Amino acid sequence: MPKIVDHQKQKEKVAQAVWKVILKSGIEKATVRNIAEEANLSVSTMRHYFTNQSELLYFSMELIIERMEERIKNRVQQFEGSPFDAAKRIVLFFIPSNEEEHMELQVWLSFNAKALSNNEMRKLIDKMYMDMYKGMEWALHILKESKWLKSEVDMKLEIDRLYGLVDGLAIHRILKPDILTPEDIEMIISHHLKELCKEEFENRV
């Protein structure tokens, strides 16, 4: 009886091999041959799934986005506590908190450089950042709709400011992990969100 191959799982295996090659040797070494070797597949088998390097890198980027979005969906269902807790949790989704998320973001930063010369990859970069922006928007709207947000807050400005803060903290977490611990980052986010809330809610934060 012929062996049934799960082609989606095989493609995901290849994508994970892409990540490993990038982490070990950099994106310039993410050639079809090197990735095939990492995935323990022949180059001809690789060509069956991806006709060129661009297709392979594109799929690997898509998989990171899908995994991130799946984590968010799963965690949204576990919301407990106050509107402040919910808003903070959404914001922290976008900052790596464990080894797997750290690895994904590190690979993603390598993709950013490659995307400068590849329009299709650039679209995925834009999608990822738009997801992050919508996350910041969502977090602040939770506070606003729950009447926790100060009435004078400029929503557009504060969404932009929070987006910039989170993007910077996420990159800092990758480049200088020993300077800011996950606890430090959570404290920074809490402090930032607390400044946007009405005084009457401070003792509930």
Side-chain angles (χ1 to χ4, degrees):
M1 185 175 182
K3 183 180 178 181
I4 298 174
V5 177
D6 186 325
H7 294 294
Q8 180 62 25
K9 286 192 178 301
Q10 193 79 324
K11 289 174 75 173
E12 290 180 8
K13 174 185 175 182
V14 172
Q16 289 166 2
V18 172
W19 303 344
K20 289 178 183 177
V21 169
I22 290 173
L23 289 172
K24 286 193 297 187
S25 308
I27 197 165
E28 65 279 358
K29 297 293 184 181
T31 63
V32 172
R33 187 170 299 280
N34 287 343
I35 294 162
E37 184 178 342
E38 182 66 44
N40 197 26
L41 296 171
S42 67
V43 171
S44 60
T45 300
M46 289 274 291
R47 299 287 188 197
H48 176 71
Y49 295 111
F50 306 101
T51 58
N52 55 48
Q53 185 197 44
S54 292
E55 279 187 17
L56 178 51
L57 294 178
Y58 188 91
F59 179 82
S60 302
M61 290 175 71
E62 276 190 314
L63 187 59
I64 290 179
I65 293 177
E66 287 172 11
R67 286 168 62 141
M68 182 197 75
E69 290 177 342
E70 188 61 31
R71 279 198 297 268
I72 291 175
K73 287 177 186 176
N74 291 337
R75 292 176 189 174
V76 164
Q77 298 171 3
Q78 303 168 17
F79 275 158
E80 293 179 357
S82 68
F84 184 90
D85 295 328
K88 183 173 75 171
R89 190 166 185 175
I90 290 170
V91 171
L92 289 172
F93 282 159
F94 296 92
I95 301 173
S97 60
N98 57 46
E99 188 174 339
E100 180 185 16
E101 293 172 13
H102 190 283
M103 177 272 294
E104 288 177 2
L105 183 56
Q106 192 172 345
V107 171
W108 186 262
L109 291 176
S110 296
F111 284 142
N112 271 261
K114 187 74 173 177
L116 292 174
S117 58
N118 185 306
N119 288 335
E120 290 304 309
M121 290 175 68
R122 182 62 181 265
K123 290 176 185 176
L124 285 183
I125 296 291
D126 292 344
K127 183 182 186 306
M128 171 70 96
Y129 281 111
M130 182 53 66
D131 284 348
M132 183 191 295
Y133 190 88
K134 288 179 178 177
M136 303 307 102
E137 193 174 37
W138 182 19
L140 292 189
H141 273 290
I142 286 175
L143 294 176
K144 183 178 181 180
E145 290 166 11
S146 303
K147 311 298 183 186
W148 278 55
L149 209 61
K150 292 175 181 176
S151 57
E152 67 271 21
V153 162
D154 180 328
M155 284 293 286
K156 176 66 168 61
L157 174 63
E158 293 304 335
I159 291 167
D160 290 346
R161 200 159 71 106
L162 185 57
Y163 169 83
L165 174 64
V166 170
D167 189 39
L169 287 174
I171 293 173
H172 202 83
R173 185 79 191 112
I174 296 301
L175 300 179
K176 297 289 183 182
D178 20 337
I179 292 181
L180 289 179
T181 66
E183 292 74 24
D184 292 331
I185 288 174
E186 183 171 354
M187 185 174 65
I188 290 168
I189 295 299
S190 291
H191 181 76
H192 182 84
L193 293 177
K194 187 175 178 180
E195 287 187 328
L196 302 177
C197 293
K198 296 175 182 176
E199 290 183 12
E200 62 206 74
F201 295 112
E202 285 188 3
N203 61 350
R204 296 171 61 180
V205 173

